[in-house]
Amino acid sequence: MAAYPAEYELDLVLRDGGMVQVRPIKPDDGERLVRFFEHLSPESRYFRFFRVKDSLEPSEVEYFTHVDYDRRMALVVLDGPEIVGVGRYDRLPDDDSVAEVAFTVVDSHQGRGIGTELLQLLTSHARSHDVAGFRAFVLPSNVQMMRVFRNSGYSMSRSLEVGVYTVDFPVAESEDVVEAAGAREKQAVAASILPLLFPRSVAVIGASNRTGSIGNRLFLNLLQAGFTGPLFPVNPNAVVVHSVRAYPSILDISDPVDLAFIVVPAPLVVEAARQCGAKGVRGLVVISAGFAETDAEGVEREAELVEVVRSAGMRMIGPNCMGVVNTSAAVRLNGTFAPVFPPQGTIAMSSQSGALGIAILDYARRTNVGVSQFVSVGNLADVSGHDLLLAWEDDPATDVILLYLESFGTPRKFSRIARRIGRRKPIVAVKSGRTGAGSRAASSHTGALASSDAAVEALFEQAGVIRTNTIEEQFAVASLLAKQPLPLGRRVGILTNGGGPGILAADALEANGLFLPELSAEVQARLRIVLPVEASTRNPVDTIASGGPDQYRQCLQALLESEEVDAVMVIFVPTTPEGSEEVAAALKEVMDEYEGVVPVLAVFMQQEAAPLLGAGRRAIPIYQFPEEGAVALSRAVRYTEWRNRDPGAVPVFPDLDIDAARVTVAAALERTGPEGGWLTAEEFDSVLSAAGIRHAISNVAADEDAAIAAAAMVGGPVALKVVAPGVLHKTEVGGVLLGLAGEAAVRAGFRQIRSAVPEAEGVIVQEMVEGGHEVLMGMVEDPNFGPLIVFGLGGVLVELLGDVVFRIQPLTDRDAAAMVRSIRGARLFDGYRNLPAGDVEAAEQTLLRLSALIGAVPELAELDLNPVKVLEPGKGVVVVDGRARIRHLAEDEALALADLPSVPTRRR
């Protein structure tokens, strides 16, 4: 019997936004199962058992509740203490690779998506236990069950015999399965978040008349913002709060309450949340601090709070947060204690820092950057950044998403969701802590080169997230994205009335990868009509200091209509007190009439023009200096290029012998014990062979005679490499000899290595691989992000040069191509300065095979292939040296690797 799979104890958000709990069935679930059966309608019983059935026999209860979690698996769905759904599979007696699957959901909970979620969880468990396919027997009238199978995205085959459909489908994930699961996840999470962002009524538990208190400020902000629904202050010691009738507890409010803010001391929060659950509140925002951010007692208090919230089917933001904002005229929710309310706009923001959140809202107001919604997530005990992304994905009021991140919940899930959303809406993120070195030990070249920030960079690059270094830069980028169309290319036109700022702008744009094309003779002729002879028309277009509103108007029109630039930066240095407003009005006039796709940004050395430029239809983002605008535009261009790029696909290699690799690793884990360890040279070669990765012919020799025999088998010159525990860099200890030919040379070489490394257990006798470019390929397991795959220039100088790039597994074909081409030394593969070219396609394929191997054998914790010889085109690549470290998987890693879209949060 397999161990109880505790990793399948989960909270699920259903398509109606409600929450239930799911877990594997237990032997003591007998009484619950009987009550569950009794609540089934006669029709539901008939669909499950194919006959009229009035009760469960004791033997049946025993059979259903006692499973081995391997050949037989069952999950139960709980609403409170009672079972409302059961899903199970039993392997067929004549075929272990196929299991019969069945689901039953109590009638009052049908239609919520429980069956679909059970199917997804069971297929995840089945895949990890070598079940290849499911079979179900379904009555023709059981339309709902057939819909569950069809909507899950699996490719079904069905046949009708003796009045019963036999439905067969593989449990392997496909693009259709992932897409269907993602759509269900988005719908469910968005529905569950709705009461938090669009409440119809709000209560503030801890509302106060005491000036300066958080409860006072928050309730006053709700009133002053003009919240469109009823407000209920809750305070047992007050009759009214800000002239609004107060209630002793939320249970004393006779009207329904959608959302409750909790602003009471930490020890009182759990009971307040419990009362909210009893009241039927759907969402909580817990402002109070004193939870997991403090001490062990706070951690326990937060765990209890989460259990109360989940058990009541509520969603919660916080604890330890500053609140939420929704500027929509239909809501006007200012549920924060911040002293500012931002202008309405199309940018949604999430912040993991409450204190920084206040500064963000104030900055948005001062720079006239409009906000749709703002959420301070606090401790992320329930609602996560992933949930907010899903809620904002289809929000018509949100065009751009800003994130301030201090940590990631589940990076794989973030990457999957961000990739999808980024194709429609830009995500701009500031990730703090980028200078941290990471916690892993540098046990290989790959481990030494990897850092936590390298993982973040890889994640953002693959997911299309725009990373900025500061909040100010983030707003600069967001302002451009929210107000203007995306730039379609890197060509920029500059319109200025000052030569110096124009030069600064040109330098900044080119430093950020953009360029200034010289304008055609036709466009220059058009510009000369309105400009004095002293003006420059080539690009930058310099109107000189006398340039006024008419010149700016006509020059901007000419640039926008030229089709020779992909963006226009307008720079204005005021020469008269009233000049800025007049020029700003002229620019706005052009933009209000212009229907093209060329974005315009303005650099005004006088901020008084900001309100005019930043308001109304086709607003123009304004910056005080050219460098700000150049950075913003470059980020927008890179995002556009990512969005327009083919995302690629994760290839499948039918020749991969994954079973052989897993057998080798399993045996090695038995040899190395509970801590894991490094593969032997023979095991390492076996794993590479199973993955179809070419490596140099080699054998391990324990003595001189064995080394001579091994060299004779290889034929030709050989390399000798030391085999010794703890030796990472063989060349540094004199453990590598190259080009040895003949018995005498091999014997002498063996003795030399044993003399240099007395603890040597033997040597590797390996064929010499001549020529080629030395590169590094590898992987290291990041504790937060999972496997990081590396590619770069290799050899003994790999750490000194640091010319490497990281990506998060799995790699698409586009990822692999980008990795090979993005290192600084990529020109070597083109035949730099008469050097031979390299087989780039073979290098890409090796990276993809490495990615497939890592995904199939998650026990691989670290791989270091260095050097890998990239031979001439058509001759492939050869792994010359390398090592691999293995470890046992933690209990819950199997589910984490599955990245189930239907599970937004883990139970605590």
Side-chain angles (χ1 to χ4, degrees), residues 662-672 683 886:
R662 293 194 64 82
V663 167
T664 299
V665 170
L669 284 171
E670 288 188 15
R671 173 181 59 79
T672 55
E683 291 167 340
I886 55 175

Side-chain angles (χ1 to χ4, degrees), residues 342-506:
Q344 185 176 1
T346 60
I347 297 174
M349 296 186 288
S350 168
S351 172
Q352 282 184 238
S353 167
L356 191 60
I358 296 175
I360 287 173
L361 292 177
D362 181 61
Y363 192 82
R365 180 188 58 79
R366 287 189 290 108
T367 57
N368 201 39
V369 174
V371 173
S372 58
Q373 296 158 36
F374 170 85
V375 179
S376 167
V377 293
N379 290 2
L380 296 162
D382 178 36
V383 170
S384 68
H386 309 146
D387 295 335
L388 293 172
L389 286 175
L390 291 169
W392 290 330
E393 181 173 2
D394 289 333
D395 177 27
T398 296
D399 293 334
V400 181
I401 298 171
L402 303 191
L403 305 174
Y404 170 75
L405 302 168
E406 294 175 350
S407 63
F408 289 91
T410 309
R412 284 185 181 90
K413 178 170 288 188
F414 177 89
S415 176
R416 171 176 53 78
I417 294 171
R419 284 192 197 210
R420 185 181 72 232
I421 295 175
R423 297 288 167 185
R424 298 173 52 205
K425 298 181 180 182
I427 301 171
V428 189
V430 172
K431 170 63 175 69
S432 62
R434 64 183 306 159
T435 58
S439 59
R440 72 181 67 82
S443 53
S444 69
H445 295 292
T446 302
L449 291 163
S451 69
S452 294
D453 198 61
V456 174
E457 284 290 345
L459 173 64
F460 286 172
E461 177 68 29
Q462 288 170 272
V465 175
I466 303 169
R467 185 176 192 179
T468 59
N469 297 316
T470 65
I471 296 295
E472 186 176 22
E473 186 180 310
Q474 184 182 42
F475 270 85
V477 175
S479 181
L480 175 62
L481 294 171
K483 296 176 180 179
Q484 291 288 307
L486 292 173
L488 299 182
R490 292 177 172 259
R491 303 172 302 169
V492 184
I494 297 176
L495 174 58
T496 180
N497 67 340
I503 295 172
L504 286 176

